[in-house]
Amino acid sequence: MLFLLLSSSHSVFFLMISLILGGLASGVGLTSMQVSSLATVEPAMSGVASGIFSTFRYFGSIISSALIGLISGYHTLFIILFAVSIIGVFVSLGIKSDETAHMEQNSA
């Protein structure tokens, strides 16, 4: 909620306090949601539940970052996030290929 009060006229101290409070609230909330989601599934399905939770958490972070950039008028931020995500796609494809090649060498 404090993030809505940020403007270019606020001090760095206000920004630091806002980020610290937001980080603490996020840490408490995400931890309790993770524990709740794992407590409601069978132990054999805990890996799947954890993966689904992490995927949607990351997806929400990406969408919220993009929306904050668009709503606040920071088009440069949106362009940077978009460029980094495109680079991330190519890096992940490269990592997957190297990992697959390594696994094929070990199995032969």
Side-chain angles (χ1 to χ4, degrees):
M1 207 55 178
L2 289 174
F3 299 119
L4 297 175
L5 300 174
L6 290 175
S7 69
S8 59
S9 64
H10 282 82
S11 67
V12 174
F13 180 73
F14 182 78
L15 177 63
M16 287 174 42
I17 295 298
S18 299
L19 290 174
I20 289 170
L21 290 175
L24 288 173
S26 178
V28 169
L30 289 176
T31 303
S32 61
M33 285 189 285
Q34 178 78 28
V35 169
S36 308
S37 67
L38 291 176
T40 58
V41 297
E42 297 174 9
M45 297 298 291
S46 62
V48 174
S50 180
I52 291 171
F53 177 79
S54 294
T55 299
F56 280 97
R57 184 173 51 109
Y58 291 137
F59 184 69
S61 296
I62 292 167
I63 295 296
S64 66
S65 297
L67 287 176
I68 288 170
L70 287 174
I71 291 170
S72 61
Y74 294 111
H75 298 293
T76 305
L77 174 65
F78 179 72
I79 292 169
I80 290 170
L81 288 173
F82 183 72
V84 168
S85 67
I86 296 298
I87 292 169
V89 167
F90 289 114
V91 168
S92 67
L93 290 174
I95 291 171
K96 181 69 171 167
S97 297
D98 292 342
E99 187 177 291
T100 304
H102 182 68
M103 290 173 71
E104 290 174 356
Q105 288 175 352
N106 288 341
S107 66

